[in-house]
Amino acid sequence: MPRFRGIKVGEIRDQATQRQKIVDPKRTVDPACMEALCVAQETGTLTAFDRFAAQQPQCGFGLTGICCRICVQGPCRITAKSDANKKGVCGASDYTIVGRNVARMIAGGAACHSEHGHHIAKTLLHIAEGKVKDYTITDTAKLRAVAETVGIDTTGRSDNEIAKSVALAALEDYHKVGDTPCTWLMSTITPGRRAKFTHCDIAPSTIDRAIVQIMTQTAMGMDADPVNIIFGALRTALADYTGMHIATDLSDIVFGTPRPVVTEANLGVLDPEYVNIATHGHNPTLSEMVVQAARALEPEAKRAQAKGIKVVGICCTGNELLMRKGVALAGNQATQELAIMTGVLDAMIVDIQCIMPGLKPLSECFHTRFITTSEQAKIPASYHFDFREENALEIAKDMVRLAIEGYKSRDQSKIKVSKHKSRVVAGWSFEAMKDLFAGLNPDRPVKVLTDAIVEGKIRGVCLFAGCNNLRIPQDESHLTIAKTLAANDVFMLATGCAAGAFAKAGLMSSAAVDAYAGEGLKSFLKDLEAKADLGHELPLIFHMGSCVDNVRAFDLCVAMALELGVDIPKVPFAASAPEDMHEKAVSIGSWCVAMGLPVHVGVVPPIEGSELIYGLVTQIAHDVYGGHFMFEQDPKRAAELIIEALDYRTWKLGVHRYASKKYETTLAVNW
Ligand code: SF4
Ligand code: MSK
């Protein structure tokens, strides 16, 4: 068995592979989206799919990351035409330029997730201080569990007192005096990772500092050392992890920790007889209020001759509502415009992130009220409601009334309702997963999973995360890789728009278990199902939530490591972002690598312009942190790489366990 298999240094993917796919007329494998795209074509309506085609061919310098615009002497583009062209005006080499660009992408991703977490932390603080009337602490057990994890005393203290301490501790991870590492990072990882991050000096002291530090480090005339830049960027990626964990923990405290729910997904969830409202974005602070407001205003909708009000979700705020409330999911990232094209979407209410500016002009071709709500995400000519927690429910009601008004002005000639929707079993927080495993082993629930791997029943765990990317057909890579892994007995988790792809395609149902799971995975799931008292079946892929909820999956990975008595790099656990698009996906992938995971990425971020950077993230990162990137656009080959990575870990774990037993030594710590 080689040390580890994967793409070797210098074996960089040819951009031609990406370009070929661009002209592929099959731009989605989702039948509901294909129908909507056909309507767009017939009516001459432009969508992101058309705009992507119009952008071709895209700039090769940008695609490979060797265009520098960091100072106004640029853009400097690196070519091999002459010695002078091999460096930027200041003398920056390809590895410096590529490294700086990707580091700044990671900073962008970390900022987005962390700002989201900061918002929730402020909400929790305001709840604890009695400053907001429409929010409350829903999950006191989670509040106390989080407090204990981060070292806050709970004895004899009221929920509000603990909540205030938790919120302030979270906010200290954003800005504080002193250099102690972020609490949420250091209290949620393995001892091995704590030691590694301390030794390599990449544990951020605060999230804000980490972002400021990397922006400074990558400015003109600063760091030119590719290793220093990339490992500095990992500190920012760990700040991203910190902000995500805060967002998930505190959202659970305020809105409840998800438990298994049954719902539906895809454009067919829009019901022409109801007032349909799509919530889109990421922050549950808004969407939870929209759900409440919609319930309160049912009578007004009925007076408008509708049967009621149907709230559906898009992207990650959709995942948040789906996980906690069982709200149906209309679609993932590339579906957002297509939902409007059904002609029955009466309002789209958006908060932050992944919201295409193209939604507003498209909504003007229909009756859809397009409503922005964040001071950080305004789109010209939209309805804008300045959403504030102090009077959240009242504002949400005003938005719902606008949707009812929209319902009354529907153009019947433009209605093209989809019949496509799938059953979804979701709601798998880490707590819900532990409860599920506890059916077979109440004392050590995670041992059920690790035993199944050690005994060879399943080959490991794969977390699917990430977006849609129009560079490849929507959802195709997600579905192909997942079906291949299922047949090869890999236990699968999903978040974000990857989860959306699986939900729409019916892979979060028991029918998918029967259709796609290999014998080992099938019997593992059936054993769990027999002991679970859920009242419904188990899915093939377990939905763990939105983008920030990738930390739920990582909590499971940490629990597996602790159960096995090893550090993360030995756990048969992989991550895959088959259709990554956002800077946030680059950031998540990077902290997963620092945490010690093999990470497959389907659309190569702009790093191919430097062999050195490419080798650093695919090989050297593994030597130092135990995790590495695997770039592969072909989904079949990608599935092989993920299985190889899992098998390698299981094999090495077995060898080390055997040796430790035979020679009566402690388990080897190396990977
Ligand atoms: Fe060009 Fe250097 Fe300025 Fe970048 S920092 S734009 S490489 S001169
Ligand atoms: S919404 S970051 S497209 S997962 Fe979280 Fe989807 Fe990616 Fe946005």
Side-chain angles (χ1 to χ4, degrees):
M1 194 87 172
R3 186 169 57 86
F4 83 101
R5 279 192 243 169
I7 299 164
K8 296 190 176 52
V9 180
E11 214 182 285
I12 292 177
R13 297 287 117 185
D14 185 353
Q15 287 297 321
T17 329
Q18 298 190 9
R19 292 226 171 98
Q20 255 172 21
K21 288 269 186 180
I22 289 161
V23 293
D24 190 336
K26 196 182 70 170
R27 295 184 286 175
T28 176
V29 295
D30 177 342
C33 291
M34 188 50 95
E35 276 173 8
L37 284 175
C38 291
V39 174
Q41 200 165 7
E42 281 161 25
T43 57
T45 315
L46 290 179
T47 68
F49 290 81
D50 305 296
R51 292 189 295 272
F52 184 82
Q55 286 294 330
Q56 305 315 311
Q58 285 172 306
C59 167
F61 293 103
L63 268 176
T64 54
I66 44 172
C67 171
C68 184
R69 293 180 297 106
I70 282 173
C71 89
V72 280
Q73 288 178 105
C76 293
R77 300 169 307 163
I78 304 302
T79 71
K81 277 186 193 153
S82 71
D83 282 348
N85 279 347
K86 283 181 186 159
K87 291 190 174 168
V89 173
C90 65
S93 303
D94 56 6
Y95 51 75
T96 302
I97 293 174
V98 171
R100 290 193 303 210
N101 286 341
V102 77
R104 286 180 169 221
M105 286 186 90
I106 292 169
C112 284
H113 285 138
S114 301
E115 181 71 351
H116 173 168
H118 191 267
H119 191 172
I120 307 277
K122 290 289 279 286
T123 304
L124 182 63
L125 181 64
H126 293 156
I127 294 170
E129 291 175 339
K131 288 184 181 165
V132 287
K133 62 182 186 319
D134 297 329
Y135 300 92
T136 182
I137 295 167
T138 303
D139 193 338
T140 52
K142 178 97 185 205
L143 170 68
R144 284 167 189 271
V146 170
E148 274 155 30
T149 302
V150 299
I152 291 169
D153 187 15
T154 57
T155 12
R157 301 180 73 201
S158 72
D159 290 342
N160 270 357
E161 285 167 344
I162 299 168
K164 185 166 181 177
S165 298
V166 168
L168 289 174
L171 292 169
E172 276 211 351
D173 269 357
Y174 288 82
H175 29 68
K176 68 172 177 240
V177 179
D179 291 327
T180 52
C182 287
T183 304
W184 252 261
L185 170 67
M186 297 307 251
S187 58
T188 55
I189 55 179
T190 56
R193 287 297 96 180
R194 274 197 288 277
K196 173 60 73 179
F197 298 154
T198 306
H199 180 248
C200 294
D201 193 22
I202 62 160
S205 59
T206 65
I207 294 164
D208 293 3
R209 282 293 305 141
I211 295 169
V212 170
Q213 277 173 324
I214 200 66
M215 292 306 285
T216 309
Q217 189 177 342
T218 55
M220 189 272 162
M222 288 293 287
D223 204 349
D225 177 339
V227 179
N228 208 40
I229 292 172
I230 292 299
F231 287 177
L234 289 184
R235 181 184 295 112
T236 317
L238 292 178
D240 181 51
Y241 167 87
T242 308
M244 291 170 72
H245 219 302
I246 289 171
T248 294
D249 283 348
L250 274 47
S251 295
D252 283 354
I253 292 168
V254 177
F255 302 112
T257 303
R259 299 285 162 195
V261 284
V262 179
T263 183
E264 295 174 321
N266 216 342
L267 289 175
V269 302
L270 294 168
D271 190 328
E273 299 192 90
Y274 284 70
V275 174
N276 290 304
I277 301 172
T279 58
H280 173 23
H282 282 78
N283 194 334
T285 316
L286 169 73
S287 50
E288 288 269 346
M289 283 301 126
V290 174
V291 171
Q292 277 192 40
R295 277 189 200 134
L297 296 184
E298 283 271 324
E300 287 188 30
K302 286 181 179 155
R303 281 201 291 280
Q305 311 302 323
K307 274 193 173 171
I309 302 173
K310 183 138 196 191
V311 178
V312 300
I314 292 178
C315 280
C316 280
T317 211
N319 287 321
E320 298 267 356
L321 288 182
L322 179 149
M323 292 283 286
R324 293 196 181 89
K325 298 272 184 296
V327 165
L329 188 76
N332 52 356
Q333 209 269 343
T335 314
Q336 57 185 282
E337 291 175 309
L338 308 179
I340 293 177
M341 300 198 54
T342 57
V344 293
L345 187 60
D346 304 304
M348 182 181 282
I349 304 174
V350 304
D351 51 74
I352 49 165
Q353 301 168 27
C354 303
I355 298 149
M356 293 189 202
L359 286 164
K360 172 57 196 160
L362 184 67
S363 72
E364 281 170 9
C365 304
F366 295 82
H367 72 291
T368 311
R369 283 15 182 194
F370 184 75
I371 305 168
T372 56
T373 57
S374 165
E375 61 182 12
Q376 291 176 314
K378 294 183 178 179
I379 296 177
S382 308
Y383 293 93
H384 184 79
F385 288 77
D386 194 12
F387 186 77
R388 308 236 169 230
E389 278 114 25
E390 302 86 69
N391 51 352
L393 191 56
E394 275 318 300
I395 301 174
K397 282 182 182 170
D398 288 344
M399 292 188 259
V400 172
R401 287 197 178 99
L402 199 52
I404 297 172
E405 203 182 277
Y407 173 83
K408 292 187 214 159
S409 64
R410 274 187 196 170
D411 181 344
Q412 297 298 321
S413 70
K414 289 186 177 170
I415 294 178
K416 291 271 181 343
V417 185
S418 174
K419 294 273 178 286
H420 296 284
K421 59 181 177 180
S422 300
R423 179 179 167 85
V424 177
V425 178
W428 300 102
S429 56
F430 175 46
E431 290 82 352
M433 296 295 284
K434 276 193 293 189
D435 287 351
L436 177 66
F437 297 139
L440 289 170
N441 187 341
D443 299 326
R444 291 167 69 181
V446 177
K447 191 167 186 296
V448 172
L449 185 58
T450 51
D451 279 355
I453 296 170
V454 171
E455 289 159 12
K457 203 170 205 179
I458 56 175
R459 286 167 93 164
V461 181
C462 183
L463 161 67
F464 286 94
C467 326
N468 286 136
N469 187 320
L470 297 186
R471 206 172 289 290
I472 51 180
Q474 182 195 14
D475 297 345
E476 184 179 58
S477 291
H478 286 126
L479 303 188
T480 308
I481 298 174
K483 287 174 188 174
T484 312
L485 295 193
N488 284 281
D489 298 320
V490 176
F491 184 74
M492 291 176 284
L493 317 168
T495 60
C497 291
F502 301 137
K504 290 186 298 167
L507 296 193
M508 291 177 162
S509 67
S510 68
V513 176
D514 297 334
Y516 303 112
E519 285 313 312
L521 179 61
K522 201 177 282 178
S523 89
F524 179 65
L525 293 174
K526 295 294 173 198
D527 288 350
L528 286 173
E529 197 173 280
K531 290 286 180 182
D533 189 17
L534 293 171
H536 54 74
E537 79 282 13
L538 290 183
L540 177 68
I541 303 175
F542 288 72
H543 194 325
M544 294 197 91
S546 66
C547 309
V548 293
D549 295 335
N550 282 303
V551 296
R552 296 190 197 281
F554 188 70
D555 286 347
L556 176 61
C557 181
V558 169
M560 290 171 71
L562 297 176
E563 181 57 55
L564 289 163
V566 298
D567 196 12
I568 305 290
K570 276 222 195 98
V571 180
F573 192 111
S576 172
E579 303 180 20
D580 55 298
M581 172 274 296
H582 206 282
E583 287 174 327
K584 292 179 285 176
V586 180
S587 194
I588 293 169
S590 302
W591 67 249
C592 283
V593 166
M595 292 291 188
L597 296 178
V599 179
H600 161 251
V601 170
V603 183
V604 190
I607 63 159
E608 294 166 298
S610 165
E611 284 191 14
L612 209 156
I613 297 289
Y614 198 93
L616 201 57
V617 300
T618 55
Q619 297 276 326
I620 310 297
H622 181 268
D623 293 343
V624 181
Y625 294 104
H628 61 285
F629 279 109
M630 306 179 287
F631 298 117
E632 181 54 64
Q633 189 165 303
D634 175 356
K636 287 273 180 209
R637 176 70 189 130
E640 285 170 13
L641 289 173
I642 294 165
I643 292 166
E644 277 175 16
L646 292 175
D647 283 352
Y648 169 67
R649 286 177 170 229
T650 310
W651 169 81
K652 187 161 265 191
L653 188 63
V655 169
H656 287 182
R657 283 163 73 95
Y658 173 79
S660 132
K661 201 169 167 192
K662 185 172 179 187
Y663 300 109
E664 296 177 350
T665 57
T666 51
L667 206 58
V669 288
N670 292 336
W671 50 83

